[in-house]
């Protein structure tokens, strides 16, 4: 993310973020949500202008929890609860020792980190917050003097492009963005309702399946984050087809006076109020089944917006649940299925490209063209494989794209895996066999996860989008209890040209980004002009609308240690010979910078001289790279035009006459007869009005040399 020079200058003025200003551009995308009604009412205030003694956290943990304001981002607030439960995760998102209000080093800026596309990135904001009537109008802490929620929400809004972009989302996505780990969601409606089950045996199986999931994750309840969502809230007034998410603050088993055990869930509504009556509301019949001391203790734990439910109520009143995998202080993921640590992690990026690597689902005949990856297991172990697609929104620096529904944000993706004996295998024969593991179906989710116990050996994985030809970038991550490695099965590069007509020539250029010398970073940084520059010339006018230039930038780094890379193409003004980056805007760009091995751009450029300038996103990222530059050549095809043909005929006649007169004594009668006939035929052809055929075989070389 772009950092701002003003913030560390040591000046006394408080920082004002030029990339996310305190105006409507940071609030709204298109005014399609209810917060558009606030357009003329919002003012921006710093915490010290809102209260006398602002703090980041409240000493009371309950008062530090989030309360939803006028923005529909309950999904994000539910994910924030995981940070309060795990200090090491909070320190990752909000690095400690930042100067706060009252500190002499305070300059009005705060740094946050979010996990995006496989990497932690920094987002810097000022602390001017949107208010109505001098009070925070969006999310805030229950304690009016605590501001960590409001500041984190602003940083997340900047990452997305605007506050309005946070209206409606998935808890699982926010959990991954805040932890860098994994989160999974389960639809409780998938289990069916008891009145729809045909037999008592099916009834038992369904109830057993529900219970099994909760029993499995129960031991991890203190370290993982669990949330629940519903579409039907009594008196809640939620929008149609829009989930409202809540946080499971705690869940435990208690013993009733009758000796049985009951599992209870304490739910917190971000709205700050209880939505349901029932057995376990204040004064409800459920409390009378417990020992009075236990009942009193549990009811005292309920803060503002909290309410209790038993397991039966929990499963019947919520539509789905979302769970984040625990992450220990060393950064290792813990399995929710076994409780085992998964200390080995590897990842690889890829993309689906129409006509090349977007083959669709297994129902499609082009399925085998999807990206193919090798997973190698050194020994038997538990494995989690995640397929994460990149969303269709752009970072705030490039302007966001409209996202109305989950289906617009995400393609329907799936992942299949086959066990193979060795790397030399028959692809079509393998794909015709049932996979050893796969997602249940293609899902409109940002991320899908496979879990299993794998034997040592090689596994072929194919990520896919359901619809053939759909395009997106993706990230495959593997977490395992034993050593594993991940690599791409390289497909042959597509042959140039992209258009079958014409000829192409390709040159390969090697270069390096050198720290503090030629690693200038992207155009967001003043050092961009220090990057290496490569001059090339377009000699042939493009035949519109055909493309005539293709540039590919490839970095020489491992898949686990990639820089975000991109490049710009600048037009060199006529008559200039220097190789420095022009001050004008580029005529073509391969951006945004991506964490991939290579990026490519095909374009149509007019005649002239150009510079291609490759860069990493941040300055001072040292590494080697290769640029492949392909240019289309429009060669003239000669069809023996009359004027050219007569010239060639004259040359041919003179040659044949010389050979005939000078070599008569060396020719046999047969050869002499053939030569005379050829000369006579050529003489007749000379006077012919139509010259659409080639003169003769012996003139071919002359024709080619003449054209050349």
């Amino acid at each position: 993310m772009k950092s701002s020079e003003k913030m560390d200058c040591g000046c006394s003025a408080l920082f004002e973020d030029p990339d996310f200003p305190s105006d409507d551009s940071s609030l709204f995308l298109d005014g399609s949500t209810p917060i558009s009604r606030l357009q003329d009412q919002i003012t921006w205030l710093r915490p010290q202008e809102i209260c006398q003694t602002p703090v980041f956290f409240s000493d009371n943990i309950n008062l530090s929890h989030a309360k939803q304001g006028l923005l529909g981002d309950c999904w994000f607030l539910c994910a924030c609860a995981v940070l309060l439960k795990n200090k090491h995760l909070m320190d990752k998102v909000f690095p400690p020792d930042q100067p706060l209000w009252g500190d002499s080093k305070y300059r009005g800026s705060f740094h946050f980190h979010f996990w995006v596309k496989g990497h932690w990135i920094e987002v810097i904001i000022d602390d001017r917050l949107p208010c109505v009537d001098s009070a925070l109008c969006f999310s805030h802490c229950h304690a009016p003097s605590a501001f960590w929620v409001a500041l984190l929400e602003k940083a997340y809004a900047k990452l997305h492009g605007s506050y309005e972009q946070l209206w409606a989302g998935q808890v699982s996505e926010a959990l991954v963005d805040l932890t860098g780990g994994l989160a999974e969601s389960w639809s409780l409606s998938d289990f069916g309702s008891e009145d729809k089950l045909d037999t008592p045996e099916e009834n038992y199986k369904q109830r057993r399946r529900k219970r099994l999931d909760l029993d499995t994750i129960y031991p991890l309840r203190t370290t993982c984050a669990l949330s629940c969502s519903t579409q039907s809230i009594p008196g809640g007034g939620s929008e149609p087809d829009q989930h409202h998410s809540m946080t499971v603050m705690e869940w435990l088993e208690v013993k009733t006076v009758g000796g049985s055990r009951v599992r209870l869930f304490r739910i917190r509504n971000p709205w700050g109020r209880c939505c349901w009556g029932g057995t376990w509301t204040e004064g409800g019949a459920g409390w009378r089944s417990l020992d009075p001391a236990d009942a009193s203790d549990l009811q005292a734990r309920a803060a503002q917006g909290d309410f209790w439910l038993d397991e039966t109520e929990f499963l019947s009143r919520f539509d789905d649940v979302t769970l984040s995998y625990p992450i220990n202080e060393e950064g290792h993921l813990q399995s929710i299925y076994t409780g085992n640590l998964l200390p080995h992690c590897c990842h690889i990026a890829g993309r689906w490209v129409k006509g090349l690597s977007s083959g669709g689902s297994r129902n499609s005949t082009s399925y085998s063209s999807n990206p193919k990856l090798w997973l190698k297991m050194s020994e038997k172990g538990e494995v989690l494989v995640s397929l994460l697609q990149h969303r269709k929104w752009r970072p705030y620096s490039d302007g966001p794209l409209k996202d109305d529904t989950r289906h617009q944000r995400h393609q329907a993706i799936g992942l299949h895996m086959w066990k193979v004996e060795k790397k030399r295998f028959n692809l079509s024969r393998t794909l015709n066999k049932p996979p050893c593991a796969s997602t249940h179906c293609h899902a409109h989710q940002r991320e899908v996860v496979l879990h299993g116990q794998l034997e040592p050996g090689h596994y072929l994985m194919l990520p896919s989008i359901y619809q053939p030809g759909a395009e997106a970038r993706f990230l495959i991550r593997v977490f395992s209890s034993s050593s594993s490695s991940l690599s791409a099965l390289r497909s042959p590069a597509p042959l140039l040209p992209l258009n079958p007509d014409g000829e192409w020539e390709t040159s390969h250029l090697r270069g390096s980004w050198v720290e503090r010398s030629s690693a200038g970073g992207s155009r967001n940084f003043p050092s961009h002009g220090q990057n290496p520059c490569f001059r090339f010339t377009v000699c042939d006018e493009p035949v519109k609308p055909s493309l005539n230039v293709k540039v590919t930038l490839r970095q020489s780094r491992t898949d686990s240690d990639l820089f975000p890379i991109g490049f710009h193409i600048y037009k060199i003004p006529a008559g200039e010979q220097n190789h420095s980056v022009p001050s004008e805007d580029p005529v073509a760009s391969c951006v945004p910078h991506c964490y991939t091995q290579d990026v490519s751009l095909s374009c149509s450029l007019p005649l002239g001289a150009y510079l291609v300038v490759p860069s990493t996103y941040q300055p001072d990222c040292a590494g080697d790279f290769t640029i492949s530059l392909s240019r289309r050549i429009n060669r003239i095809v000669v069809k023996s035009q009359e004027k050219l043909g007569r010239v060639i005929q004259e040359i041919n006649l003179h040659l044949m006459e010389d050979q005939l007169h000078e070599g008569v004594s060396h020719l046999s009668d047969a050869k002499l007869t053939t030569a005379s006939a050829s000369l006579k035929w050529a003489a007749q052809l000379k006077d012919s009005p139509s010259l659409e055929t080639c003169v003769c075989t012996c003139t071919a070389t002359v024709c080619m040399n003449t054209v050349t």
Side-chain angles (χ1 to χ4, degrees):
M1 284 295 162
K2 180 178 178 181
S3 58
S4 300
E5 301 170 4
K6 185 177 177 181
M7 95 188 39
D8 294 322
C9 63
C11 58
S12 58
L14 295 181
F15 169 61
E16 296 183 1
D17 186 0
D19 298 320
F20 201 65
S22 297
D23 57 32
D24 287 353
S25 66
S26 299
L27 291 171
F28 310 112
L29 171 64
D30 55 12
S32 61
T33 67
I35 66 170
S36 61
R37 296 191 293 264
L38 303 174
Q39 190 160 359
D40 299 324
Q41 305 176 41
I42 291 180
T43 57
W44 297 76
L45 302 175
R46 298 186 189 268
Q48 64 270 34
E49 298 173 310
I50 300 173
C51 71
Q52 291 184 347
T53 56
V55 295
F56 201 71
F57 299 108
S58 172
D59 293 334
N60 185 331
I61 187 66
N62 274 325
L63 296 181
S64 284
H65 278 281
K67 184 176 181 179
Q68 189 174 351
L70 301 177
L71 186 62
D73 61 349
C74 56
W75 59 282
F76 171 66
L77 302 182
C78 288
C80 291
V82 72
L83 302 180
L84 287 178
K85 296 178 68 172
N86 300 271
K87 184 180 183 301
H88 61 285
L89 296 180
M90 177 67 82
D91 290 345
K92 185 74 173 179
V93 173
F94 180 73
D97 302 325
Q98 296 190 48
L100 303 177
W101 311 275
D103 191 314
S104 60
K105 297 181 180 179
Y106 164 75
R107 291 291 179 268
S109 64
F110 289 93
H111 299 230
F112 292 90
H113 290 149
F114 298 100
W115 187 90
V116 178
K117 300 177 183 178
H119 302 270
W120 287 94
I121 65 171
E122 184 179 63
V123 175
I124 305 170
I125 60 169
D126 62 35
D127 59 354
R128 296 177 295 175
L129 299 169
C131 299
V132 172
D133 296 331
S134 300
L136 294 173
C137 60
F138 297 147
S139 303
H140 50 279
C141 296
H142 283 269
S145 60
F147 286 89
W148 80 273
V149 169
L151 292 170
L152 180 62
E153 181 186 55
K154 180 174 182 177
Y156 203 55
K158 179 177 179 178
L159 178 70
H160 282 67
S162 68
Y163 277 93
E164 196 169 41
Q165 285 284 73
L166 301 187
W167 190 282
Q170 300 295 312
V171 179
S172 57
E173 296 181 18
L175 283 169
V176 173
D177 294 345
L178 294 174
T179 66
L182 287 179
E184 287 197 70
S185 298
W186 291 270
S187 174
L188 296 180
S189 60
D190 287 346
F191 299 124
S193 59
E194 294 182 12
D195 57 353
K196 293 182 180 179
L197 299 175
D198 296 330
T199 65
E201 181 181 1
E202 286 184 335
N203 189 342
Y204 170 79
K205 287 180 179 179
Q206 295 286 8
R207 293 171 62 87
R208 180 67 179 168
R209 185 180 176 188
K210 291 182 185 180
R211 167 75 68 159
L212 180 63
D213 287 340
L214 294 174
D215 286 344
T216 300
I217 59 181
Y218 181 77
L220 305 174
R221 64 192 183 281
T222 59
T223 53
C224 65
L226 183 66
S227 70
C228 44
S229 302
T230 181
Q231 287 182 327
S232 54
I233 304 173
S238 62
E239 298 292 330
D241 299 322
Q242 179 177 308
H243 279 57
H244 180 58
S245 299
M246 305 184 192
T247 304
V248 179
M249 302 302 297
E250 63 175 323
W251 49 312
L252 52 108
E253 289 185 349
V254 294
K255 192 174 183 180
T256 66
V257 292
S260 61
R261 303 192 70 83
V262 60
R263 182 172 288 167
L264 296 178
F265 297 80
R266 179 162 63 93
I267 312 297
R268 174 162 294 177
N269 184 358
W271 291 341
R273 63 180 186 271
C274 178
C275 293
W276 278 303
T279 307
W280 300 93
T281 55
E282 186 175 356
W287 298 111
R288 293 193 290 273
S289 67
L290 303 183
D291 180 273
D294 293 338
S296 177
D297 174 62
L298 293 176
Q299 291 183 81
R301 300 185 193 182
Q304 183 182 10
D306 289 3
F307 56 93
W308 289 92
L309 297 173
D310 60 32
E311 183 177 347
T312 301
E313 293 174 317
F314 179 80
L315 293 174
S316 63
R317 291 190 171 182
F318 290 102
D319 297 305
D320 51 62
V321 295
T322 300
L323 180 71
S324 71
Y325 284 72
I327 300 176
N328 65 12
E329 295 187 8
E330 288 73 34
H332 297 152
L333 209 69
Q334 188 176 8
S335 170
I336 62 173
Y337 299 97
T338 64
N340 295 332
L341 285 178
L342 306 175
H344 302 276
C345 179
C346 52
H347 69 267
I348 191 170
R351 63 188 300 183
W352 293 286
V353 180
K354 183 178 181 180
L356 178 63
S357 60
S358 183
S361 69
R362 296 185 71 202
N363 296 329
S364 172
T365 56
S366 58
Y367 176 73
S368 62
S369 65
N370 282 301
K372 291 166 277 292
L373 302 103
W374 287 115
L375 171 63
K376 180 182 179 181
M377 296 295 299
S378 300
E379 54 189 68
K380 182 178 180 179
E382 183 179 6
V383 177
L384 287 167
V385 182
S386 151
L387 169 62
L388 183 148
Q389 62 175 310
H390 299 340
R391 279 186 58 178
K392 294 181 182 179
W393 55 265
R394 293 175 290 180
Y396 64 89
S397 57
D398 292 325
L401 294 176
K402 184 175 181 180
D403 275 341
D404 293 330
T405 66
R406 185 199 311 176
H407 287 200
Q408 287 179 317
R409 286 196 297 264
H410 302 307
Q411 306 282 1
I413 58 173
L415 180 64
H416 294 75
M417 180 190 300
W418 287 263
K419 177 80 163 60
V420 294
E421 292 300 325
K422 54 185 178 180
K423 285 197 173 184
R424 292 184 177 275
F425 72 105
N426 184 292
L427 178 61
S428 48
R429 212 175 294 162
T430 299
L431 298 185
N432 284 331
K433 298 178 182 177
C436 65
S438 67
T439 51
H440 177 64
C441 62
H442 283 72
H444 287 280
Q445 300 285 346
R446 186 176 78 166
E447 186 171 26
V448 294
V449 179
L450 289 182
H451 169 261
Q453 298 283 342
L454 298 185
E455 298 291 333
H458 289 91
Y459 294 83
L460 176 70
M461 294 191 298
L462 266 72
S464 60
I465 299 177
Y466 184 82
Q467 187 67 34
E471 295 192 318
R473 295 181 180 272
F474 65 82
L475 180 73
I476 295 277
R477 293 187 290 164
V478 175
F479 303 87
S480 57
S481 59
S482 58
S483 179
S484 60
S485 62
L486 193 59
S487 59
L489 191 158
R490 298 293 181 186
S491 300
L495 296 176
L496 287 175
L498 303 177
N499 208 327
D501 297 328
E503 298 181 41
W504 291 71
E505 64 176 10
T506 301
S507 54
H508 301 282
L509 313 169
R510 298 185 182 277
S512 301
W513 294 296
V514 180
E515 188 176 354
R516 292 188 296 274
S517 174
S518 61
S522 68
R523 293 185 71 212
N524 291 334
F525 300 92
S527 56
H528 175 67
Q530 299 174 8
N531 284 296
C533 300
F534 297 88
R535 182 182 177 119
F536 69 95
T537 303
V538 175
C539 299
D540 292 322
E541 190 74 28
V543 182
K544 298 185 181 301
S546 298
L547 305 173
N548 66 339
V549 173
K550 178 176 180 179
V551 180
T552 299
L553 170 64
R554 182 175 180 83
Q555 58 180 314
S556 303
R557 300 181 68 86
T558 62
D559 290 332
S560 59
D561 191 31
L562 297 174
F563 291 137
I565 59 173
F567 59 84
H568 299 279
I569 299 175
Y570 296 86
K571 180 72 182 295
I572 300 177
E576 291 192 11
Q577 298 297 323
N578 58 23
H579 286 57
S580 59
V581 178
S583 57
E584 292 80 6
D585 289 336
V587 295
S589 299
C590 185
V591 289
H593 289 66
C594 299
Y595 286 97
T596 55
Q597 284 282 7
D598 51 72
V599 292
S600 297
L601 175 70
S602 298
C603 54
S604 179
L605 299 178
L607 297 175
Y610 297 86
L611 285 181
V612 56
V613 181
S615 67
T616 58
Y617 184 82
Q618 294 280 354
D620 294 332
C621 296
D624 299 325
F625 61 83
T626 301
I627 292 178
S628 298
L629 174 63
S630 299
R631 286 166 291 182
R632 184 174 177 175
I633 304 170
N634 298 323
R635 297 195 186 276
I636 300 174
V637 179
V638 179
K639 294 186 178 180
S640 298
Q641 297 286 333
E642 182 175 355
K643 184 176 180 181
L644 179 61
R646 290 188 181 278
V647 173
I648 297 174
Q649 291 171 51
E650 296 290 346
I651 298 173
N652 184 55
L653 288 172
H654 288 304
L655 288 174
M656 295 180 69
E657 287 175 353
D658 291 342
Q659 291 176 358
L660 183 61
H661 293 299
E662 293 178 7
V664 168
S665 59
H666 303 289
L667 295 176
S668 64
D669 292 340
K671 290 182 179 179
L672 183 59
T673 303
T674 302
S676 300
S678 298
L679 184 59
K680 182 179 180 181
W681 173 82
Q684 294 173 349
L685 187 62
K686 176 181 178 181
D687 298 326
S688 173
S690 176
L691 297 172
E692 290 297 319
T693 55
C694 186
V695 176
C696 63
T697 305
C698 67
T699 64
T701 302
V702 179
C703 179
M704 181 62 68
N705 292 336
T706 304
V707 174
T708 303

